[in-house]
Amino acid sequence: MEPTARFCLRCGHPLEARPHHSGEVRPTCPRCGWVFFADPKVAVAVLTTDDRGRVLLVQRRFPPQAGRWTLPGGFLNPGEAPRARAAREVAEETGLVVRVGALFTVVEGRDHPQGADVVLVYAARVVRGALRAGEDACATAFFPPEALPPLAFRATRQALLRWAARRLSR
Ligand SMILES: [Zn+2]
């Protein structure tokens, strides 16, 4: 079900269901005209590989899925460039400076209530730096496709399955 709102985010007045010019009935502020839309949540994740064909993962320190491993990543803020966000997440979570390259894949669909609706997964290569787990991570390490650790999140598993399938089919 689509999330909704009862009060205006801009002025605090109670919202009313009113016809919108899109043809839908939307929660609308009768005082200031603000209209509520539930926008999809978009996240970026980064598939960084090294010269030995291994992938960079971080072990989550906090719930959900604490202790499991995932690709470095995070939610995209409004107005933020996805590649810049991707590079910053890798730097914060792993200590490595990466060059973010092509879009590797897109994973759709939320698999838990705090999750993203769309995950943009970028390929990246290490430029410099030394591995050092960030505050949100217990550990960070490179793994070969045939020996991945326990993974968090369906988006992580789907992205890594697609990556491992390409690696192992060579
Ligand atoms: Zn208002």
Side-chain angles (χ1 to χ4, degrees), residues 9-22:
L9 198 68
R10 199 191 271 161
C11 79
H13 197 279
L15 299 175
E16 296 176 0
R18 291 192 174 183
H20 182 256
H21 60 71
S22 64

Side-chain angles (χ1 to χ4, degrees), residues 10-100:
R10 199 191 271 161
C11 79
H13 197 279
L15 299 175
E16 296 176 0
R18 291 192 174 183
H20 182 256
H21 60 71
S22 64
E24 300 171 299
V25 173
R26 312 279 334 174
T28 304
C29 179
R31 186 155 76 190
C32 78
W34 184 77
V35 181
F36 174 78
F37 286 92
D39 294 322
K41 288 176 81 174
V42 180
V44 296
V46 191
L47 216 155
T48 305
T49 49
D50 69 3
D51 293 338
R52 295 163 59 187
R54 302 175 304 172
V55 64
L56 178 62
L57 298 176
V58 293
Q59 188 177 28
R60 294 178 58 80
R61 181 183 297 279
F62 301 112
Q65 307 263 8
R68 290 180 170 258
W69 294 76
T70 188
L71 297 169
F75 288 109
L76 196 63
N77 293 314
E80 196 172 34
R83 279 188 172 80
R85 179 55 187 247
R88 201 163 71 241
E89 289 289 345
V90 177
E92 286 176 7
E93 296 180 20
T94 73
L96 296 182
V97 176
V98 297
R99 188 174 63 247
V100 177

